[in-house]
Amino acid sequence: MVVDEEAADRLFHALADTTRRDILRRSIEGEPSVSRLAELYPMSFAAVQKHVAVLERAGLVTKTRHGREQRVRTDPDGVRRARQALDHLEALWRGRVDRMVDLLAEPAGTSGPDEPKETDR
Amino acid sequence: MVVDEEAADRLFHALADTTRRDILRRSIEGEPSVSRLAELYPMSFAAVQKHVAVLERAGLVTKTRHGREQRVRTDPDGVRRARQALDHLEALWRGRVDRMVDLLAEPAGTSGPDEPKETDR
DNA sequence: CTAACGTACAACCAAATGGTTGTAGATGAA
DNA sequence: TTCATCTACAACCATTTGGTTGTACGTTAG
């Protein structure tokens, strides 16, 4: 499996917050310190610190000491892992569509009937 | 903007749960009724019903009445919207890398210095 | 008609989330 | 050294989440 389920939980949970997504964007463009980030949002430093921690546990950002500050940088692999999970879902979808196309393309009566009335679902 | 922030919150939140992602997968492959789904997980019917509701509010699945049951089907557009949000993040990342490459490619001393020591961050 | 099934929804509860304040440890500047 | 800055983390609180049970309603099968 590409990412195990718990990791996927952490990943998507980390992404499921406007502030955290914004932190992620700003940490892509620059490499802000935690206190620089904290200035941007209408909440305490500690709150922003927690958001960064969530992103870090999800593997979306890393922190590196730089003097007395801690700079936040996004980990492109983290974003890529999230995309892979969605890619997998889309692949499933495409697979299903392909199978439906196959059924339609099949000469009538080759195998079992497509919908034997209301089978058992 | 591709998806507004609140919609993105709902989207990623809906994806941030193993059971919900599994429901999504099964609703891609088949088109199970809510009670069929409920049989699959170690929780009550009502709990599964709530999970489906979360997916529905996120625009990831739709329900359609079919006799007395309600079949769940995933909405491929929903998954695509989630991917677009991540695509955007990756584009930002690529943009940053490109800009760094530009700086490196720039003949020395053309514009301002890259890092004037430890400016003000 | 009656019974069984599938669903919807309210009320409730424990645990997690997102925020706060306060305290304390490192580090850099004066 | 001393002071201001940046960070870490604990303790606390309100709200949301994810689960439960119970009740009610529409639909299909006998």
Side-chain angles (χ1 to χ4, degrees):
Chain A
M1 207 175 300
V2 186
V3 285
D4 75 294
E5 295 294 330
E6 280 205 8
D9 283 3
R10 284 194 297 270
L11 250 174
F12 287 117
H13 169 71
L15 290 168
D17 181 281
T18 304
T19 303
R20 283 195 292 265
R21 284 193 304 276
D22 195 67
I23 290 177
L24 207 51
R25 283 185 218 107
R26 295 183 186 270
S27 305
I28 284 175
E29 294 177 335
E31 192 167 319
S33 67
V34 179
S35 38
R36 268 273 178 260
L37 286 170
E39 293 168 7
L40 301 169
Y41 309 103
M43 64 185 77
S44 68
F45 171 82
V48 173
Q49 215 177 9
K50 283 191 187 180
H51 281 305
V52 172
V54 170
L55 289 167
E56 202 178 10
R57 266 183 272 119
L60 284 167
V61 305
T62 55
K63 290 187 295 185
T64 40
R65 277 225 156 273
H66 229 265
R68 63 181 154 187
E69 41 186 42
Q70 193 95 244
R71 305 253 178 100
V72 180
R73 167 180 54 209
T74 96
D75 179 355
D77 281 356
V79 180
R80 193 138 25 85
R81 277 199 306 279
R83 273 205 27 165
Q84 283 183 357
L86 294 179
D87 283 345
H88 185 240
L89 283 178
E90 280 203 293
L92 281 182
W93 175 260
R94 263 181 259 114
R96 188 213 180 182
V97 173
D98 289 350
R99 258 174 282 122
M100 286 170 61
V101 170
D102 287 351
L103 283 174
L104 291 173
E106 213 167 88
T110 321
S111 64
D114 190 343
E115 277 254 334
K117 222 179 167 187
E118 285 284 325
T119 18
D120 61 3
R121 10 182 91 164
Chain B
M1 207 175 301
V2 186
V3 288
D4 75 291
E5 295 295 329
E6 280 205 7
D9 284 2
R10 283 195 297 272
L11 251 175
F12 287 117
H13 170 70
L15 290 168
D17 181 280
T18 304
T19 303
R20 283 196 291 265
R21 284 193 305 276
D22 195 67
I23 290 177
L24 208 51
R25 282 185 219 109
R26 294 184 186 270
S27 304
I28 285 175
E29 294 178 335
E31 191 167 321
S33 67
V34 179
S35 38
R36 266 279 178 257
L37 286 170
E39 293 168 8
L40 301 170
Y41 310 103
M43 64 185 77
S44 68
F45 171 83
V48 173
Q49 215 177 8
K50 284 191 187 178
H51 280 305
V52 172
V54 170
L55 289 167
E56 202 177 9
R57 266 182 272 118
L60 284 167
V61 305
T62 56
K63 289 187 296 186
T64 40
R65 276 225 155 273
H66 228 264
R68 63 182 153 186
E69 41 185 42
Q70 193 97 239
R71 305 256 178 97
V72 180
R73 168 180 52 211
T74 96
D75 179 355
D77 281 357
V79 181
R80 192 141 32 84
R81 278 198 305 280
R83 272 204 25 164
Q84 282 183 357
L86 293 180
D87 283 346
H88 185 240
L89 284 177
E90 280 204 291
L92 282 182
W93 174 262
R94 263 181 259 115
R96 188 212 180 181
V97 172
D98 289 351
R99 258 174 281 122
M100 285 169 62
V101 169
D102 287 352
L103 284 174
L104 290 174
E106 213 169 89
T110 320
S111 63
D114 189 343
E115 279 255 332
K117 219 178 172 190
E118 285 283 323
T119 17
D120 61 4
R121 13 182 89 168

